[in-house]
Amino acid sequence: MTEEAEVEINPYPKSGSEQQAPQFLRDVIFHGKFKLLKALTPEENTHCQNGLFFQDGQRRVDYVLTYPVKKPGGGRSSRQSVQLLAENAVACSLRRGPHNGGEDLRHHQAQRAGNPSCPQSLPMADLEGGALNGHEDHKAFRREEFEGKLRDMGLELEKEEVTKIPGVGFVKIHAPWNVLCREAEFMKLKMPTKKVYEVKQSSGIVEKISSLVSKVLEPLHPQVEEHQPKNIKHLSHTFSREKQHLFDLSDKDYFFDTKTRSSIVFEILKRTKCKAKYSMGITSLLGSGVYTAAYPLHDGDINEESAEPNDRKLLYEEWANYSVFYKYQPIGLVRKYFGEKIGLYFAWLGLYTQMLIPASVVGVIVFLYGCATVDDNIPSMEICHPKNNITMCPLCDRVCSYWKLSTACGTARASHLFDNPTTVFFSIFMALWAAMFMEHWKRRQMRLNYEWDLTGFEEEEDHPRAEYEFKVMQKSLRKDKKSHHKMEKLTCRDRLPAYMANIVMMLLMIGVTFAIVFGVILYRISTKAALHMSSSSITRNHVQLTVKTTAAIINLVVILILDEVYGAVARWLTVLEIPKTDKSFEERLIFKTFILKFFNAFTPIIYIAFFRGRLVGRPGSYLYVFESYRMEECAHGGCLMELCIQLSITMLGKQLIQNNLFEIGIPKLKKLIRFIRSKQGAFQEEERQKKLQRYETDHFLEPFAGLTPEYMEMIIQFGFVTLFVASFPLAPLFALLNNIIEIRLDAKKFVTELRRPVAARAKDIGIWYNILKGVAKVAVIINAFVISFTSDFIPRMVYQYTYSPDGSMHGFVNHTLSYFNVSHFQEGKETLDPLHLGYPVEICRYKDYREPPWSATPYEISKEFWTVLAVRLAFVIVFQNIVMLMSDIVDWLIPDIPKDISLQIHKEKILLVDHFMKEEQRKIHILESRVSTGSKEVFSRSNNNITTMTHSCSQLHTKCTKASNASNDVFIVQS
Amino acid sequence: MTEEAEVEINPYPKSGSEQQAPQFLRDVIFHGKFKLLKALTPEENTHCQNGLFFQDGQRRVDYVLTYPVKKPGGGRSSRQSVQLLAENAVACSLRRGPHNGGEDLRHHQAQRAGNPSCPQSLPMADLEGGALNGHEDHKAFRREEFEGKLRDMGLELEKEEVTKIPGVGFVKIHAPWNVLCREAEFMKLKMPTKKVYEVKQSSGIVEKISSLVSKVLEPLHPQVEEHQPKNIKHLSHTFSREKQHLFDLSDKDYFFDTKTRSSIVFEILKRTKCKAKYSMGITSLLGSGVYTAAYPLHDGDINEESAEPNDRKLLYEEWANYSVFYKYQPIGLVRKYFGEKIGLYFAWLGLYTQMLIPASVVGVIVFLYGCATVDDNIPSMEICHPKNNITMCPLCDRVCSYWKLSTACGTARASHLFDNPTTVFFSIFMALWAAMFMEHWKRRQMRLNYEWDLTGFEEEEDHPRAEYEFKVMQKSLRKDKKSHHKMEKLTCRDRLPAYMANIVMMLLMIGVTFAIVFGVILYRISTKAALHMSSSSITRNHVQLTVKTTAAIINLVVILILDEVYGAVARWLTVLEIPKTDKSFEERLIFKTFILKFFNAFTPIIYIAFFRGRLVGRPGSYLYVFESYRMEECAHGGCLMELCIQLSITMLGKQLIQNNLFEIGIPKLKKLIRFIRSKQGAFQEEERQKKLQRYETDHFLEPFAGLTPEYMEMIIQFGFVTLFVASFPLAPLFALLNNIIEIRLDAKKFVTELRRPVAARAKDIGIWYNILKGVAKVAVIINAFVISFTSDFIPRMVYQYTYSPDGSMHGFVNHTLSYFNVSHFQEGKETLDPLHLGYPVEICRYKDYREPPWSATPYEISKEFWTVLAVRLAFVIVFQNIVMLMSDIVDWLIPDIPKDISLQIHKEKILLVDHFMKEEQRKIHILESRVSTGSKEVFSRSNNNITTMTHSCSQLHTKCTKASNASNDVFIVQS
C-alpha cells in the first residue's frame, strides 16, 4: 500500500519540468491519495456511516430507489449484489480485469458512457448470470434497463437486496463530481464564488436605529451558527465547468450540499427514460410499480445518542420545537435542508404570523373599545331604559305573543361590542393590512430570492406526467391503426368528457353545500317552532340558546366532513383531467379544492350576513317556507351578533379540531398502528430500529405529499381573518394563536415524520399568491356590504345627520321601528295569548322602514327606506373604491424590490465585471510577457504578425483553450 | 509583400507535427492574411465606405463621439490626428519603435492594458508634444484621460479633427472582436447557436385553419426577406467565449449586428469613468460639454442613388411609408435595427391599432343602431309630438321666458343616438376589450421575448445619472469638512426640498387646470346671459351654438397650450428631484407628465359628465355664482349629448393639431430653418451633402429623446377611447384612423429624422403597462357612473318597471318633470315676459324629482328621487363588480405565456441538454481512446491511477483547460 501511494505522489520522477507539471494531475493524485487515506480508517466506515454512504464508505448516497423483492432471506449476501453490478460492467467491457473493486467500476462506467451501444446488451448479460425469479421478469427487466441508462448518465449505483426489511430492495444512487458539475451547469445553478465583498452599513440614523432594534431582537433569533459574518457576502455566479477556478472547490464533497445533490439526481431520474413500449421516466416507473419508492436520505438522526451534529438535528432543536415558539425561524437552514419551495412556505407562514400580531393588537383594542363604550351607547341605553315601554309584534305565529323591547337589552348591549363606529375603521385597517401583507411578502420573496441566489432563475415547463404520457401513448396507438400519423398531445376534444365531468361535479358539490345550509336553516326554523310549542317554560326560555348551539355544531360537523370529502373529490376530478405537467396538476387541484372548501366554509356565514332576516316579510304578510315555517328573523341587535357567533364557532372549531387534533392525533394513531403491526411481524421494533441503516429508517417515514394542504389551511384562515373582519375583530388574534402552534407542528412533521422531500427550486409561492390576492379583493367588497347592510352603522348615521331633531342618537330606536295595527293580522296567524303583557295591544312595532297603518299607502316601503338604501349603496361604492385605491397606493408606494437588495444586485454585477476584467488583464499580461520572452526566435521573422496576435491575445486565449481541449493528450505526453 | 505572405502561411516549416499544429495559430495566420488581402483592394476603401469604417477600411465605426474644436481649418491633416494617437501610445510604451503604423498601435494598446499605471501619464505626454490650445486645456485633458481609459478597455479609437463641419471633432470608436466577446459575455447576450431545429406544425384542424388564414393575410405582410424559413429556429444560448464552438463564427464581422455592437460600446462608455475630481461617465462628460454628442451610426443612406441595400433603406421602403399603411409592421427588422425597447413600442402600437378595429366596428354598429331606432324612441316621440303642450320654466332669470318642451325635440332626438340601451352593452364590451387588449399584449410581449431571445434576461439597476453623482459628490465634499465620513447616497432629507417643490407645483398646476375649467364655465354663463339680453333676435337664437362653439374652442386651445407647459414643468420638477438612475428619472417624469396631462385633458370632460346641471338648485331657489350668475343647466336631452360634443371636439382637435400638425409641421419648419442657416454659412447645402461622411450626416440629425412623448400621446388617446366610451361610441374609430397615420409618422421620424438610438434591451414596456392598467380600471368606474348618472338609462328603467301603468315608456317624460307654481319665484327673478307663449302660465315644469307645490312638503326631494338614486348606485356597484370580475376572468382564462411558446421553450431546453450531453460523450470518447493508445507507456506503472483519471475525465477535461490557460506558452514552444 505504501509503495503504491509513493508511486502516486510522483508518477513522473524523471520529468525535468516539475514546476510546470500540470496542476490537474497533482490534483488527481492528491485526491486519490486523500481518498485512500480516508479508506484506511475502517473503524468509522464499518457501517458505511449508518447507510449514508456506499459500501466503500466514500461515495455518498444521494438518492434511494426501492423495489419489491419476492424472495426474502439470505440467498445472496450484500457483497454479492455489489458483485452483480460489477458483473454488469464487466460484461459490457468485454471482461478485462474481472477482479475489479469499487474504484474500477467507475472506469468501466466512464468507458461505457462513451459507448452507447453497450447498455442494450446489459439486461441480457444480467439475465444470463443473474438469479432472477421468472415471475417478476418484466419489472426486473425494466429496472435493469433504467439502471443501465442511469449509469450511462454517469450515476453510480449500488444495490442492496438483502436488507432488514423483508421484501424491499434498495438501489442507492451516487452522483460523482463530474455528473454534479455537468448537471449544475445544465440547471444553471448559481453557486457562491471565492470572491467575497463587504455589505456596507452606512452610519445614518436609520441604520443606527435598525441595528439597535436587531440587538434587542437578538434573543429571538434561533441559535443556528451562520457560516459567515452577516456583512460579508459571497458573489454568486452560475456554475460552469469552464469557470471552475472562480469557485472554492477545496472540499468537493461539500461544495454541493446534500439537498442540491439529491435534486440533481432527481433531475436525471426524471429525464432518463426507458424506451420499452412507451417512454417511462421515474414517475411512471413508480406508478407502474417497477419501483415502490424514491427518496433522498435525511442527513442523520435527530436522537441525542448520535454524537455527530447534522442539519436535521439542528433543525429539530432550533426549529421543530414548541419551546422556541417565540423565536424567528431559521429560514436559511430550512432552505438549505429542504430546498427553496418549502423554505418559501415557512417564510410565508412566518411573515403571515408576524403580520397577524399588529392586526390582533388592533382587533383587541377595537373589541375593548366596544366593551368600554357599551354603557355610553345611546341606542342600547334607550332599549334597556326601564321606562321604555315599546311593545313589539310577536316573533312567531300563534304561540308567541307580544313582547317588550326592553327584554332585548342584553342582545343590544352585546351587539354594540362588535357593531360600533370603530368597526368601520377596523375594516379599512384590515383591507390595508392585507395589501401591506401582500406587499411585504413580495419584498420578502425578493430578498429571499436574492439571498438564495435565485435571481435570474426562470421556472420552466416541467416534464409531462406519467399519466399524461400514458394517455397520449394510448391515443397514438389507437390512431396508428387508422393513420400513420403520430399524435403528440391531447386536444380539447380528448379532454371534453373530463371537463364536463368537472363542471357537473363542481356544480353538484356546490349544490350540496347550498342544500346543507338550507337544511340547517330548516332545522333551526322547525326546531324553534317545535320548542316554542313545548309546554315547559324552561325549554321555552332556552329556545334561542339551544337552537343556535345545536345548529352551529351541526354546521361545524358538516363543514369538517365535507372538507375531507371535497378534498378527495377535487383530487379525483383533477386526475380525470389528466393535466400535462405536475405544475398544471397542482394548480388545477388547488383551484378546485379552494373553490369547494371556500364555499363549504363560507356559505353558512354568507347566508347569515346577507340573507337572514331580509326575506322575512312584514307583520300581516310574512314569508313562509313550505307554507308553514316563517323565515328566520335576526335578534333585535341586528344579524351582526349572530354572524359573529357563527364565525367564531366555525373558525375556532375548524382550527381546534381540524388543524390541531387531526394533525397531532392522526400521526400518533398511525404510529400506534405501525407499532402494533410491527409486533406481529418477525422483528421487534426496538431492536430493529437500532440496526437500521439510514435508507431503511427513512423508508418507514411517510412520503412527502406536497404543500397544498398546508397552504390551503392557511388560505381558508386568511379568509376568516379578512372576509368578515368587520363583524369579528378578534379573528386575527385567534389566527395568531393557532399559527404559533401551526408553525412548529408543520416543522415537526417535516423534520421527523416525513421522508426528506426532493428540493425544488421556486422563486415564488405560485398560484397561492393569486388566491391570496383574490381573497383580499373579495374581502373589501364583503366588508363594505357587512358594514353597510349587516350592521346598523348606516341607519345610525342617516338618523343622526338627517332625521334627528337635536343631532344626537336619541330617538333612533323609535325611528327604526314601524307601526302595525294588530287587527291587520292574517286570519289564524294572530297570537293566542294577546294579554301576555298584561294589557291589550292595538299597535305593535316591528323593525323595518314602512309606512304606518294610518298613511295613504299603509305598510308600503317608506321614503326613509330608500334614503337609507341609497346611503348604504353609496357607502359601498365609496368604501370599495377608496379602499381599493388605498391598496393600490400601498402597492405602488412600497417598491417590490427592497432598495438595498436592488443596490446590492447592481453592486454585485459591477464587482463581477470588475473581477472578470482584472482576470482578463492578468491573463493577457502573462501571455504577453511569455510571448515576448520565451518565443522570440519562433516569431521573429513575422514581426507584423506578432502585433496582430498580441493585440488579439484575449481572443487567442480562448482559442488556446479550445485548441487544447482537443489536444490534451499531446500535452500530457509531452510534459 | 508576397514574401511576407508566404512566411505567414508557414511560420514553422521545421515543425514535424504539422497535423497537431495548434488550430488557433493557423486561425490567427489565416485571419491576418485575410485582412491583408482585404487591405490590398484599395479601390473600394478609398472613402472608408462612406465613413462607416476607420481609415483602414477594415474596422467598423461602432460609435461616434463629437467634441468642440476651437481652431477650424487646415493646420493639421487627418494623417496628423492619427499620428497623435500613435504618439500617445508611444509615449506610454517608452518610445520603442517610433514609426509604428496603425497595426502597431494595437500592439501597444494591448500592452498598456496590462499596465494600469500608464494612462495617468498619458495626458502629460500629450500636453508636452501636442498642439493644444491653452484655453480648452481642461476639457481636452478630460477627453484624453477618458479616451485612454477606453483604450485600456480594448476599444480602438480614431480621431477626425478636420472635417467638413467646422468646429466639430469626431472620435470614431471601434470594438474589436475580443472586446465584443467579452462584453457579450458580461451582458449575458443570448446568441443563436449553430444548432437548428424544426418547429413542428401538427396537422390538426386548428392548424389548417390558421395556415389558411395566414395565406389569406400574406399580402399584408411586409416584403422583408427573413434569413431563415419560418419553421426552422436556431437554438440560442448565452454567449460565452468558452463555448465559442457552439456559435456560427464563420463571419465574425457580422456575428454581432451593428445594433449589438453599438450597445456594447455604449455599455463600456457608461462604465468607464474618469477619476478627475469626481468620477465621470460618458453622460456627465456630455453634460459638462467635454463631448457634445454621442451616437452610433445609421446603417447607410435611404436615398435610392446608393446601390447597396441596407436595413435602414429596407425599413424606409417597407415600414416608414404611408403607402404600406395597410400592412403589418416588420417588427423583427425594427428590433434588429433599433433594439428591443423601440421594437416593443412599435409592436405595442401595432397591436393597439389592430385591437381598435373590432372596437371601432362595434362602436359604429352601436351608433348606427342609435340612428336606426331614433324614430321608435318613445320619450323623444312624446317630446316631439305636436300635441305635447308641456310648459317649461324659464332657463334664465328675468330675460328668459317660459318655453314649450316640444322645442327641445331636436336635442332629444340627437341624444338618443348616444343614449340608448346599446350604450350599456358597449361600455361592458369596451371594458372587456381593454382587458383583452392587456392580455393580448402580455402574450405578444412573451412571444416577442421568446423570439428575441430575451427569456432569462433580467433588467438590472442602471448606472447612476451624472447629476445624481455630482450632487452626491457635492454633499460628500461639504460633509468632509465636518467629518471624515464619505457619503454614498442622497437621503430623504436631502431630497425634501425637491419633494416639497414637487408636491406644491403639482397641486398648483392641477389648481390651474381647475381654475381654467371654472373660467370657461364663467365665460359660458356670462356670455350666455349677455347674449340673452341682446336686443337682436338672431343673436338670441344662436346663443346656444355660439356659446358652445367658442367655449369648446377656448377649452381646446387651453388644453393644447397647457399640454406643452405641463410637459416642461414635469421635466423641470423631475430634474429638481435628482433621481438616481435613468430608469427612475424616466418613471418619475412619466408619472408626473401623465398626471398633469391627464387632468388637463379630462377635467373639462369630467365637469360636464358629473357636475354640470347637478348644482342648479330648483325654480324659486336657484344656485348662483358670484350672486348673479345662475349655474348652467343641461339641455333637455341630458348632459350626455353635451359630453359627447365636448369629447369629440377635444379628441379630434388634439389629434389633428397636436399629433399630426405638430409632428409633421415642426420637423419641416426645423429643416427650413436649418436650410436658411446653412445658406448663411460658408458651405452650400447641396455640395456638402454629397461629400459628407456617414458620421457627419448623422450629426445633423436630431438626437433621440426617448419614447415618452410617443407613449404619452397614445395613453391619453387610450383614455379617450375607454374612459367615456359610454357617451361616445365613435371614439375607437377616430383613434383607429389617427393611429394608422401615427405608426408611419413615427416610423418616418425614427428612420429619417433622428440619429440612430442606442439599442436598449427591454422585456416589457415598463411603467406604461401599469398606467394602461390603471386607466382601464378607472374606465370601468367612470363608465358605470356615466351610464347611471349622466345618461337617462336608469330613470327610464325605473319608470318602465315600477311606475309605468302599462309597462311601456309612455308617460316617462311627464314623470321626470316636477311642478312649480310661478307665484313662488323669488322677487326680481321672475320673467319679464310672462306672456311670451301667448297665454298666462300658473304652473311650469322643470326636470327634477321633487314634491309638487300642493304636497305637505312642497319642493322637497321626493321618494322617486331616492328610489332612482338607490337604483343608480346599485347599478354602479353591480356594473363595476361584474365588469371587474369579467376582466379578471379574461385575465385568468387567457394564459400569459402562449401555449406553443412555453412548449417550445421546454423543447429547446431538452434539445440543449441533449446537445451538450452528446458533445460531452464525444469528448470523453476521444480522450479515452487517446489515453488508451497514445500514452500507454507513460501511465503503465500507475495502473490504478488511470482508472481514476479516466473516470473523471470530464473533470479532467476542464482541468486541462484550466491548466493550459496558464501554460499556453509551453505548449506553443514545444509544438
Side-chain angles (χ1 to χ4, degrees), chain A residues 137-381:
Chain A
D137 263 15
H138 188 66
K139 282 182 184 174
F141 187 84
R142 278 279 165 72
R143 270 201 293 280
E144 287 301 335
E145 192 195 344
F146 186 66
E147 282 156 24
K149 292 248 172 164
L150 289 185
R151 274 184 232 111
D152 287 350
M153 301 300 292
L155 293 179
E156 294 171 13
L157 313 181
E158 192 176 68
K159 278 198 170 181
E160 201 81 51
E161 286 213 342
V162 184
T163 59
K164 289 170 208 87
I165 307 169
V168 180
F170 291 92
V171 181
K172 295 179 281 184
I173 303 176
H174 168 75
W177 175 248
N178 60 326
V179 171
L180 291 175
C181 288
R182 188 188 66 211
E183 297 294 323
E185 204 175 310
F186 289 164
M187 290 165 76
K188 291 172 192 157
L189 288 184
K190 273 200 174 179
M191 302 298 292
T193 62
K194 275 183 274 189
K195 178 115 182 132
V196 295
Y197 73 97
E198 205 186 338
V199 180
K200 262 184 208 160
Q201 300 269 332
S202 54
S203 64
I205 302 160
V206 184
E207 281 79 10
K208 267 181 192 159
I209 292 169
S210 79
S211 79
L212 195 77
V213 167
S214 72
K215 219 170 240 171
V216 169
L217 294 179
E218 191 57 45
L220 292 186
H221 285 281
Q223 286 169 338
V224 181
E225 80 266 53
E226 300 282 330
H227 293 288
Q228 60 208 37
K230 260 197 165 175
N231 55 343
I232 294 285
K233 194 173 183 300
H234 280 270
L235 275 184
S236 293
H237 194 263
T238 314
F239 185 79
S240 156
R241 280 168 293 178
E242 283 96 356
K243 290 209 168 64
Q244 277 195 18
H245 58 279
L246 285 176
F247 303 97
D248 179 18
L249 302 182
S250 57
D251 194 352
K252 286 184 180 174
D253 288 341
Y254 293 98
F255 181 68
F256 295 109
D257 53 19
T258 53
K259 153 206 87 173
T260 313
R261 296 174 73 104
S262 62
S263 64
I264 283 174
V265 174
F266 185 63
E267 187 67 27
I268 298 175
L269 287 177
K270 275 199 294 184
R271 204 172 59 207
T272 308
K273 286 186 178 167
C274 295
K275 278 283 175 308
K277 234 177 160 189
Y278 68 101
S279 72
M280 289 175 95
I282 182 66
T283 41
S284 39
L285 290 174
L286 282 171
S288 57
V290 176
Y291 291 101
T292 48
Y295 51 91
L297 295 184
H298 271 299
D299 262 10
D301 279 323
I302 42 169
N303 302 330
E304 279 140 84
E305 46 193 284
S306 75
E308 33 172 354
N310 60 59
D311 282 345
R312 192 186 179 201
K313 203 175 159 188
L314 198 59
L315 279 174
Y316 184 67
E317 284 161 2
E318 285 295 326
W319 181 50
N321 203 328
Y322 292 117
S323 63
V324 290
F325 75 91
Y326 58 91
K327 283 186 184 179
Y328 288 105
Q329 300 177 80
I331 289 297
L333 194 62
V334 173
R335 173 253 174 176
K336 192 177 157 229
Y337 194 77
F338 290 112
E340 283 80 11
K341 209 170 175 184
I342 294 173
L344 276 177
Y345 166 68
F346 282 104
W348 177 81
L349 186 56
L351 182 73
Y352 175 47
T353 309
Q354 237 174 296
M355 289 291 290
L356 278 174
I357 297 173
S360 39
V361 167
V362 176
V364 169
I365 290 172
V366 165
F367 181 72
L368 290 179
Y369 172 84
C371 293
T373 57
V374 74
D375 290 328
D376 310 332
N377 182 36
I378 296 168
S380 64
M381 270 166 69

Side-chain angles (χ1 to χ4, degrees), chain B residues 474-489:
Chain B
Q474 275 192 328
K475 190 187 168 188
S476 66
L477 280 179
R478 237 183 300 129
K479 282 256 169 172
D480 261 349
K481 285 171 194 166
K482 292 172 199 166
S483 68
H484 287 274
H485 180 72
K486 208 191 163 190
M487 292 306 293
E488 281 207 322
K489 56 173 188 174

Side-chain angles (χ1 to χ4, degrees), chain A residues 4 11-12 24-25 27-29 104 106-107 110-111 113-114 152-153 156 177-178 182 185-186 203 205 241-245 252 271 456 458 460-462 485 580 591 763 777 781 785 861 863 866-867 869-870 873-874 876-877 880-881 884 888 892 902-903 906 909 913 916-917 920-921 925 928 930 938-939 941 944-945 947 949-951 954-961 964-972, chain B residues 4 11-12 20 24-25 27-29 103-104 106-107 110-111 113-114 152-153 156 177-178 182 185-186 203 241-244 252 271 456 458 460-462 485 493 580 591 763 777 781 785 861 863 866-867 869-870 873-874 876-877 880-881 884 888 892 902-903 906 909 913 916-917 920-921 925 928 930 938-939 941 944-945 947 949-951 954-962 964-969 971:
Chain A
E4 252 191 72
Y12 320 112
F24 76 95
L25 272 185
D27 261 25
V28 169
I29 294 158
D104 225 345
R106 296 195 220 166
H107 172 67
Q111 270 198 320
D152 287 350
M153 301 300 292
E156 294 171 13
W177 175 248
N178 60 326
R182 188 188 66 211
E185 204 175 310
F186 289 164
S203 64
I205 302 160
R241 280 168 293 178
E242 283 96 356
K243 290 209 168 64
Q244 277 195 18
H245 58 279
K252 286 184 180 174
R271 204 172 59 207
E458 288 209 0
E460 278 151 339
E461 177 100 342
D462 209 359
H485 182 71
K580 185 164 177 194
F591 177 71
K763 278 192 105 164
K777 249 187 200 172
I781 301 165
F785 275 98
I861 291 168
K863 191 171 148 189
W866 289 112
T867 314
L869 183 65
L873 290 166
V876 169
I877 293 173
Q880 183 185 353
N881 286 302
M884 278 189 347
D888 281 349
W892 176 76
S902 73
L903 277 178
H906 179 56
K909 189 194 156 199
V913 166
F916 281 133
M917 284 301 293
E920 198 92 358
Q921 296 194 337
H925 195 62
E928 222 168 55
R930 292 207 183 164
V938 179
F939 293 105
R941 270 174 304 169
N944 219 1
N945 220 26
T947 3
M949 270 195 60
T950 326
H951 164 66
S954 155
Q955 176 186 353
L956 185 148
H957 145 64
T958 45
K959 277 276 162 86
C960 295
T961 319
S964 61
N965 290 351
S967 50
N968 262 333
D969 52 329
V970 182
F971 182 38
I972 293 164
Chain B
E4 253 191 70
Y12 322 113
Q20 282 167 4
F24 76 95
L25 271 184
D27 263 27
V28 168
I29 292 158
E103 284 296 304
D104 224 344
R106 297 198 218 162
H107 173 68
Q111 270 197 321
D152 287 350
M153 301 301 291
E156 294 171 13
W177 175 248
N178 60 327
R182 188 187 66 211
E185 204 174 311
F186 291 162
S203 64
R241 280 167 294 179
E242 284 94 357
K243 291 208 170 58
Q244 278 194 16
K252 286 186 179 172
R271 204 171 60 209
E458 290 209 0
E460 279 153 336
E461 177 100 344
D462 209 1
H485 180 72
R493 206 196 283 165
K580 189 167 175 192
F591 177 71
K763 278 193 104 164
K777 250 188 200 172
I781 301 166
F785 275 99
I861 289 166
K863 191 171 146 188
W866 290 111
T867 314
L869 183 64
L873 290 167
V876 169
I877 293 174
Q880 184 186 352
N881 286 300
M884 278 190 346
D888 281 350
W892 176 77
S902 73
L903 277 178
H906 179 57
K909 190 195 157 200
V913 166
F916 280 134
M917 284 301 293
E920 198 90 0
Q921 295 193 338
H925 193 63
E928 224 167 54
R930 291 207 183 163
V938 179
F939 292 106
R941 269 173 305 171
N944 218 0
N945 221 27
T947 5
M949 267 195 61
T950 326
H951 162 67
S954 155
Q955 174 186 353
L956 184 150
H957 146 62
T958 45
K959 277 276 161 82
C960 294
T961 320
K962 194 180 153 191
S964 63
N965 291 351
S967 50
N968 262 333
D969 52 330
F971 183 37

Side-chain angles (χ1 to χ4, degrees), chain B residues 164-230:
Chain B
K164 288 168 209 89
I165 308 168
V168 179
F170 291 92
V171 181
K172 294 180 278 182
I173 303 178
H174 168 74
W177 175 248
N178 60 327
V179 171
L180 291 175
C181 288
R182 188 187 66 211
E183 296 295 323
E185 204 174 311
F186 291 162
M187 288 163 78
K188 291 174 192 153
L189 288 184
K190 273 200 175 179
M191 301 299 291
T193 62
K194 273 182 276 188
K195 178 117 181 129
V196 294
Y197 73 98
E198 205 186 337
V199 180
K200 264 184 208 157
Q201 298 268 333
S202 54
S203 64
I205 302 160
V206 184
E207 281 79 11
K208 268 181 193 160
I209 292 169
S210 79
S211 80
L212 194 77
V213 167
S214 72
K215 218 170 243 172
V216 170
L217 294 179
E218 192 55 47
L220 293 186
H221 285 280
Q223 287 170 336
V224 181
E225 79 267 53
E226 298 284 325
H227 293 288
Q228 61 210 35
K230 259 198 168 175

Side-chain angles (χ1 to χ4, degrees), chain A residues 947, chain B residues 82 85-86 89 100-110 157:
Chain A
T947 3
Chain B
V82 174
L85 273 181
N100 292 312
E103 284 296 304
D104 224 344
L105 248 176
R106 297 198 218 162
H107 173 68
H108 290 299
Q109 276 160 19
L157 312 182

Side-chain angles (χ1 to χ4, degrees), chain A residues 461-732:
Chain A
E461 177 100 342
D462 209 359
H463 296 276
R465 298 184 79 231
E467 287 83 359
Y468 179 82
E469 286 198 333
F470 183 72
K471 199 85 184 170
V472 169
M473 195 267 304
Q474 275 192 326
K475 189 187 168 188
S476 66
L477 281 179
R478 237 182 301 130
K479 282 253 168 174
D480 262 349
K481 286 170 194 165
K482 292 173 200 164
S483 67
H484 287 274
H485 182 71
K486 212 192 159 188
M487 293 305 295
E488 280 206 323
K489 57 172 187 175
L490 294 181
T491 57
C492 265
R493 205 197 284 166
D494 298 318
R495 283 201 171 125
L496 198 66
Y499 283 149
M500 291 305 295
N502 259 291
I503 292 168
V504 170
M505 276 302 286
M506 290 288 284
L507 290 178
L508 189 73
M509 290 292 114
I510 292 172
V512 167
T513 305
F514 285 151
I516 285 169
V517 170
F518 188 63
V520 173
I521 296 168
L522 279 187
Y523 162 81
R524 253 194 316 239
I525 296 172
S526 56
T527 320
K528 215 187 255 177
L531 288 176
H532 268 302
M533 273 183 262
S534 141
S535 52
S536 150
S537 70
I538 303 165
T539 327
R540 286 229 296 275
N541 287 347
H542 291 92
V543 163
Q544 289 286 342
L545 196 69
T546 324
V547 171
K548 264 181 205 161
T549 319
T550 51
I553 289 169
I554 290 172
N555 244 336
L556 180 62
V557 170
V558 165
I559 286 175
L560 289 177
I561 293 170
L562 280 189
D563 240 25
E564 301 300 314
V565 174
Y566 284 169
V569 167
R571 184 164 284 277
W572 174 66
L573 286 175
T574 313
V575 169
L576 265 192
E577 267 190 89
I578 323 165
K580 185 164 177 194
T581 60
D582 276 326
K583 205 185 158 203
S584 150
F585 183 88
E586 211 185 339
E587 285 192 356
R588 279 156 199 253
L589 175 63
I590 288 169
F591 177 71
K592 279 194 267 288
T593 320
F594 174 73
I595 294 274
L596 290 177
K597 293 202 171 182
F598 196 80
F599 268 101
N600 187 26
F602 291 104
T603 309
I605 294 167
I606 285 175
Y607 163 74
I608 291 182
F610 301 125
F611 298 101
R612 187 160 169 190
R614 276 171 222 286
L615 307 164
V616 181
R618 58 166 182 86
S621 78
Y622 281 115
L623 269 176
Y624 292 92
V625 191
F626 298 139
E627 296 188 356
S628 56
Y629 300 117
R630 230 169 89 182
M631 281 300 289
E632 301 176 284
E633 259 177 284
C634 287
H636 185 77
C639 284
L640 204 69
M641 188 65 209
E642 305 211 2
L643 177 60
C644 178
I645 292 168
Q646 177 77 34
L647 258 177
S648 50
I649 288 177
T650 314
M651 187 177 167
L652 287 178
K654 243 179 95 78
Q655 280 187 355
L656 278 178
I657 296 175
Q658 203 169 31
N659 303 3
N660 298 342
L661 214 73
F662 280 18
E663 280 195 36
I664 300 174
I666 285 181
K668 293 248 187 259
L669 211 72
K670 275 191 184 165
K671 237 181 198 165
L672 194 73
I673 292 170
R674 216 150 45 206
F675 182 71
I676 293 165
R677 227 185 247 165
S678 75
K679 264 197 173 168
Q680 294 167 338
F683 298 87
Q684 278 201 300
E685 174 82 0
E686 312 257 318
E687 202 182 330
R688 202 177 60 182
Q689 201 87 56
K690 264 180 199 164
K691 282 182 191 164
L692 283 181
Q693 301 280 29
R694 180 80 259 145
Y695 52 88
E696 292 163 326
T697 339
D698 283 4
H699 186 254
F700 278 106
L701 297 175
E702 290 274 308
F704 169 66
L707 287 165
T708 310
E710 323 289 337
Y711 271 117
M712 190 63 70
E713 195 179 287
M714 282 300 115
I715 297 280
I716 298 285
Q717 194 203 63
F718 184 75
F720 278 109
V721 170
T722 52
L723 284 181
F724 291 91
V725 82
S727 64
F728 188 38
L730 291 182

